Amino acid sequence: MDTDRLQARLARNPREAAQAIRDAALRGSAAAQLVLGQLLLDGRGMARDAQAGLSWFERATEGGDAEAWNMVGRCHEKGWGVPQDYGRAAGYFEEAIARGHVWAKVNLAQILMRLGDPADRPRAFALFRQAAGEGNLKAINSLARFLEEGWVVPADPAEAARLYGIAADRGDHWAQFNLATLLLRTGDREQAIALFTRAIAASDTGFRRRIAPILLDRPDADLRRLGIDALARCAAAGDANDQYRYAITLETGVAAAPDPREARAWFRRAAAQGHVEATARCCRAMVMRHAARRIFRHFMRRRTGLVPAASTLQHLR
């Protein structure tokens, strides 16, 4: 079976399929080795073990599988089961590219851009252009960015917008965001907000986490509200850091009136997961509430004559 059929079998009966995949991997099936490696990376159906996942990807390269070379490169790029090493990752991506792997072109181009050497930009541009020609949405978005910024070739905003539009229509969140940013600069605010909204609603936490501060930094209140929406969706996914950041935003009222009650609820959720700053805030808030109650009780007792006025301050000390 190929990897797609193995994944379908896994979806139907995870426990039975996982054992069958492991057995097939041990017998030398490259497709099974790839799927098993991914299961170990994700911790899906078995304990997460990135190092073991990498070892299965490495075994799959022995048969020359392009995806296996790409995945070993990804492990070195991301530091999954091995120290992060862009240089080694690039070597594996080159091997995958030689075997016709489209995503390896994108992955290598992104590494070249991250390394920041302007001399690497022409190669990155060529790789993005090749992958874009094969329909890769991330490559289409990246190619558009080159044209928007005038990297390697003269800037061409119209062609950049056209390419962003292609990738955006097919669901690429970064293309939607980049096109919206471009439209804002040209004055099409309504369409830009629609694209930002669409990108936030259908994307993942990693994307939302990155664009939220960009939108919150905008002077436009509608864009700041979209930033709040992105943060709220991140917080709802359960990460304590996201919950803390969302609580801070609610407390300070970045895009709307401050909402201290809702902020406290999110601080408590983050604190329940051991978030240090959230825990400290919750403790301070509890101390302040207790102090306020004591002051209020003594004030009421003074009014009723149960406590002499001069004794109140001494008691609170």
Side-chain angles (χ1 to χ4, degrees):
M1 284 191 178
D2 59 21
T3 53
D4 290 339
R5 291 183 181 181
L6 287 171
Q7 291 283 9
R9 184 174 177 182
L10 190 66
R12 289 194 301 271
N13 190 335
R15 181 174 296 182
E16 180 273 334
Q19 185 57 51
I21 289 167
R22 184 180 290 277
D23 291 343
L26 289 167
R27 291 195 300 270
S29 166
Q33 289 166 350
L34 282 169
V35 173
L36 181 58
Q38 192 65 56
L39 292 177
L40 288 161
L41 272 188
D42 298 340
R44 181 180 167 202
M46 56 190 67
R48 187 179 185 279
D49 188 338
Q51 192 170 6
L54 170 59
S55 71
W56 282 109
F57 293 139
E58 289 173 334
R59 287 181 66 170
T61 64
E62 296 169 6
D65 189 285
E67 175 62 11
W69 285 97
N70 179 65
M71 285 307 302
V72 175
R74 288 287 282 169
C75 288
H76 285 280
E77 176 192 4
K78 297 293 185 180
W80 296 334
V82 69
Q84 187 180 57
D85 187 331
Y86 283 166
R88 293 200 67 185
Y92 284 104
F93 290 144
E94 292 280 16
E95 290 286 350
I97 290 168
R99 291 165 171 78
H101 199 281
V102 177
W103 267 106
K105 296 176 183 178
V106 178
N107 294 333
L108 178 57
Q110 288 183 315
I111 282 181
L112 294 175
M113 294 302 292
R114 284 193 204 109
L115 292 174
D117 186 346
D120 289 332
R121 284 186 176 177
R123 176 82 195 285
F125 178 71
L127 288 166
F128 282 135
R129 185 166 56 185
Q130 292 168 20
E134 297 177 70
N136 184 284
L137 297 184
K138 196 173 201 64
I140 293 171
N141 173 65
S142 297
L143 183 62
R145 185 73 191 279
F146 267 77
L147 294 172
E148 179 186 359
E149 300 293 343
W151 296 330
V152 180
V153 295
D156 188 344
E159 180 62 8
R162 186 187 76 82
L163 290 172
Y164 282 142
I166 291 171
D169 287 344
R170 296 180 189 174
D172 186 90
H173 313 312
W174 277 111
Q176 292 163 355
F177 180 84
N178 290 333
L179 179 57
T181 303
L182 196 61
L183 290 171
L184 272 182
R185 288 203 295 269
T186 59
D188 193 346
R189 180 179 177 278
E190 184 177 350
Q191 181 62 17
I193 288 177
L195 278 166
F196 283 134
T197 303
R198 179 180 166 194
I200 291 168
S203 60
D204 55 32
T205 298
F207 172 83
R208 293 167 181 154
R209 193 178 286 142
R210 288 180 65 184
I211 68 163
I214 298 172
L215 294 172
L216 288 170
D217 196 43
R218 293 276 187 167
D220 188 316
D222 288 333
L223 295 180
R224 293 201 303 276
R225 277 191 284 272
L226 286 171
I228 291 285
D229 180 41
L231 274 184
R233 291 171 185 269
C234 290
D239 182 84
N241 289 319
D242 291 329
Q243 292 170 345
Y244 179 76
R245 281 190 286 267
Y246 182 47
I248 290 288
T249 307
L250 290 170
E251 185 179 62
T252 55
V254 171
D259 190 345
R261 176 175 292 184
E262 186 67 9
R264 284 196 298 272
W266 284 104
F267 280 133
R268 286 195 294 269
R269 287 174 185 156
Q273 298 190 67
H275 194 282
V276 175
E277 291 90 346
T279 301
R281 279 179 172 268
C282 289
C283 290
R284 286 197 298 270
M286 186 179 299
V287 169
M288 291 176 67
R289 285 196 299 272
H290 286 324
R293 289 192 190 109
R294 290 172 63 193
I295 292 170
F296 178 75
R297 283 198 301 269
H298 280 274
F299 174 75
M300 293 304 295
R301 292 174 69 188
R302 278 183 56 191
R303 291 191 62 182
T304 58
L306 296 175
V307 177
S311 69
T312 302
L313 182 59
Q314 182 64 35
H315 180 83
L316 287 177
R317 287 176 181 169

